[in-house]
Amino acid sequence: MVGSVASQTCPPPMKATSNGAFQGDNPLDYALPLAILQILLVLILTRGIAVLLKPLRQPRVIAEIVGGILLGPSALGRSSRFTNAVFPHRSLPVLETLANLGLLFFLFLVGVELDPHSLRRTGKKALAIAAAGISLPFVAGIGTSLVLRHTISKGVDGPAFLVFMGVALSITAFPVLARILAELKLLTTDVGRMALSAAAVNDVIAWVLLALAISLSGSNNSAIITLWVLLSGIAFIFAAILFLRPLFSWMAQRSPTAEPVREIYICSTLAIVLAAAFVTDTIGIHALFGAFVVGILIPKDGQYATALVEKVEDLVSGLFLPLYFVSSGLKTNVATIQGAQSWGLLVLVIATSCLGKILGTVGVSLACKLPLRESVTIGFLMNTKGLVELIVLNIGKDRKVLNDQTFAIMVLMALFTTFITTPIVMAIYKPAKRNSGIYQHRTILRKDKGSEVRLLACFHNTGNIPTIINLIEASRGTSTGMRLCVYALHLMELSERSSAIVIANKARRNGLPFWNKSRWSNSDHLEVVFETFQQLSNVSVKPTTAISALTSMHEDICASAERKRAAMIILPFHKHQRLDGTLETARAQFRNINKKVLEQSPCSVGILVDRGLGGATHISASSFSSSITVLFFGGPDDREALAYATRMAEHPGVQLSVVCFSWDLSDLPTANNTQTSIDVGVDCQKQLDDELLAEFRKKSSKDDMVSFEERVVRCKDELVNVIQSFSRCSLFLVGRNPDGMAAAVLTDMRMECRELGPVGTLLTSSGFSTTASVLIVQQYTGQRKVKDLSNSHEGLGQTDDES
């Protein structure tokens, strides 16, 4: 009889695969095809919602939580037909297993990127803010739990419920907060640095409290059992440190940076992660803690940790992690919140969470003598919830500490507090303009020849560094009277990958407590390179970093130039040279960045086509030698190029050749054909050209390293042949939009990249044979509409002082 009842109440287990629809099988009755359909549905829905929320600058976690709720009994799940077809009850163990497996490896990645040795670098203000931001909400959460226990949560285990509610209300979601600050470009502000540091401390304390809550939430309420769980967990940590850390160090030492990590090391590490998760789950803490501890023990230096993250990250964060949010949504039934009492409790929980976190943080921030506006902003930022919040709630739900109604209220609280963070911060915090002094020198060409010249040299990767440094060396002039300050701006893309959080934190001036700084060691190496060059030369070089999406990276570049009062922005061309000498596109999006900078720049702009200026390594100042050619046709851009080259000519190792082109007016038909391209301001431009050339001739007559010659040409082929005769130089400097009839004959060329202009297009075309790099210059004339980006809250990531 018992067996008969069991057969009626327990459905048979699902088989893995079907024989196909043609064999009469319904694929949705089998585990594998049903799981595939569920994953596809989750990805399409969550990514679609993320696109809709993108204009509101909401983090992707909001879309994933909302997507999970929509698929659950709150919306689509209200249809029993949909639920029985797509999310039948017997399929949930498979879905939750996949979700928790993804979460397990995600926590492993968090541990890999977490550096406990950085704890000592946390400032006293951040520690005080973190302590207040977790203690007051924790106490408020305990008070709220007492109210809930007497209303909708009767009969639950008291101590565990108190701790779970305290942890849930006091958590700050560090990864979500980092994403919000990156999107708002507040990473380098005092507010951003303080909030991130405090959130990192908060995150670690929350994990410790969560471990305590789990140990208290077992089915056996015996104090001895709870003590055994805690002692066993501590023993596991010590055993892992004693045995696993030497093993991981041994693997890291045998994983050179220049070589791929051996597959056996990756496989062994992932197996250890699973084994550690099994041990902690057996102890009674949670499988997540085992994976997290293993991740912390991974050495942070070298290729080993980088390879682990690259192998695991995309699959986990892009595919499996959204399943965890959906599994949470399937447990969330908003319909259980009914009546005035339930909605009143929801308002109470939200108010308690917000007021406890905000008041505690604001009070301590004011005590630390932070301004009121910054203090309130930090309070709202610290109120951000996210993945850790859902982990706490799901564990509480699984341990029967939270019932359906309480669980739904807490999920909605997490969703609401995270959703309001971005709009409120945008409304109350807009950093004031930090640019001090008058921005006078927006061009290289200026009357005050002895004034300091500031360059903003941008680069995307390490391949651009040798040419950038050699260009700086050529630009430094003499040792006296020619001051040069260079801001080397590393352009980093802010992607949807979770590792983008780590990249974003690298942009902050004082680093981030706790989080691994060595994984992105290229940035550290670059800083060392620039510091070494600065010590060996008479140039002030300040490495900076901009972190943003490619669609808004031009704003960061222009804002940086505005803040630094740069005279010229130097941009890398979007194509790089192959081994056979041809240019191929690195990333097409880089071209759009360059075009937008040309349109909106607050100063002159130079696009550098890199063909290995000075070789693949930096050349010391004593042995530096370079031949530079300026092709001068006339106009503002050509004058700017000549002014830059004149500065380069001050370097003792630079040999400068200036070629001034003019058209043979005796060829009247050709001249008439080009006359239409000359505007009414030609006389004024010609006068400025003649004045600059006269000054240059006078100066060059006293310098053997400088030559000047005029060439009169009669046709396009003759012009190209003259330019070709100078192709053995190291660097061409040309204007983007040259004036005059000689340059007009090049305008009929097919310009694949109009941002290079006609002369730049010729020098970079496949038909022009040269190994010289090319710098295409556009002079700032003040006629373009330039956005005052420095007065907006959309600042940029950088690592040095604003100067």
Side-chain angles (χ1 to χ4, degrees), residues 434-690:
R434 291 183 288 174
N435 192 15
S436 59
I438 301 175
Y439 190 179
Q440 292 180 334
H441 303 301
R442 298 176 182 265
T443 62
I444 301 293
L445 181 62
R446 61 187 68 173
K447 294 181 180 179
D448 185 5
K449 304 296 183 182
S451 60
E452 182 186 58
V453 173
R454 297 188 173 196
L455 300 179
L456 182 70
C458 305
F459 61 96
H460 295 290
N461 51 56
T462 55
N464 306 134
I465 299 303
T467 293
I468 289 291
I469 290 185
N470 288 323
L471 181 65
I472 296 173
E473 171 63 35
S475 306
R476 70 180 177 90
T478 58
S479 58
T480 59
M482 300 288 285
R483 294 178 297 156
L484 177 65
C485 180
V486 179
Y487 296 93
L489 184 62
H490 190 183
L491 305 176
M492 287 186 176
E493 179 186 3
L494 180 66
S495 67
E496 287 292 335
R497 298 177 56 168
S498 58
S499 60
I501 298 168
V502 184
I503 305 177
N505 293 328
K506 288 294 294 179
R508 301 190 303 113
R509 183 183 313 157
N510 61 344
L512 172 70
F514 298 111
W515 284 74
N516 174 26
K517 302 174 68 176
S518 60
R519 176 188 161 197
W520 298 96
S521 54
N522 282 340
S523 298
D524 298 332
H525 293 166
L526 297 180
E527 189 169 342
V528 171
V529 169
F530 286 119
E531 288 178 355
T532 303
F533 172 73
Q534 180 176 246
Q535 295 174 359
L536 298 176
S537 64
N538 192 41
V539 180
S540 174
V541 182
K542 298 183 179 181
T544 69
T545 306
I547 308 292
S548 64
L550 293 180
T551 54
S552 62
M553 190 170 286
H554 66 283
E555 297 178 3
D556 284 0
I557 297 173
C558 294
S560 182
E562 184 84 23
R563 292 183 178 185
K564 306 299 185 183
R565 303 194 299 279
M568 178 177 286
I569 300 171
I570 298 177
L571 300 169
F573 190 42
H574 70 277
K575 295 184 179 182
H576 62 84
Q577 189 176 33
R578 297 170 51 181
L579 294 178
D580 59 2
T582 60
L583 296 173
E584 67 174 0
T585 301
R587 290 192 68 174
Q589 295 93 330
F590 294 163
R591 182 189 179 189
N592 294 330
I593 295 172
N594 292 351
K595 292 168 68 176
K596 291 179 180 178
V597 172
L598 288 170
E599 296 172 358
Q600 303 178 16
S601 173
C603 60
S604 296
V605 180
I607 297 180
L608 179 60
V609 181
D610 184 8
R611 289 196 177 106
L613 176 64
T617 58
H618 166 55
I619 302 172
S620 61
S622 59
S623 59
F624 182 84
S625 177
S626 181
S627 58
I628 299 174
T629 300
V630 178
L631 305 179
F632 190 90
F633 294 88
D637 294 349
D638 281 32
R639 292 196 296 272
E640 185 75 355
L642 179 57
Y644 193 3
T646 303
R647 180 181 180 85
M648 291 182 170
E650 299 290 338
H651 194 290
V654 171
Q655 182 175 357
L656 175 63
S657 299
V658 177
V659 186
C660 181
F661 291 93
S662 59
W663 193 259
D664 187 357
L665 296 180
S666 63
D667 192 356
L668 293 179
T670 305
N672 289 335
N673 289 338
T674 59
Q675 187 66 33
T676 57
S677 65
I678 305 177
D679 58 27
V680 294
V682 65
D683 292 337
C684 179
Q685 295 294 333
K686 185 70 166 59
Q687 181 180 356
L688 294 174
D689 293 343
D690 292 342

Side-chain angles (χ1 to χ4, degrees), residues 9-65:
T9 58
C10 298
M14 299 180 71
K15 294 183 179 180
T17 58
S18 70
N19 294 320
F22 292 108
Q23 299 290 337
D25 288 345
N26 182 1
L28 298 184
D29 292 335
Y30 295 85
L32 180 60
L34 182 58
I36 293 174
L37 177 64
Q38 291 170 344
I39 293 174
L40 289 175
L41 183 61
V42 168
L43 294 180
I44 293 173
L45 182 61
T46 55
R47 294 289 177 162
I49 297 175
V51 172
L52 295 177
L53 294 178
K54 192 172 184 180
L56 300 177
R57 291 186 165 182
Q58 292 296 327
R60 199 173 73 188
V61 64
I62 292 290
E64 292 169 338
I65 294 176

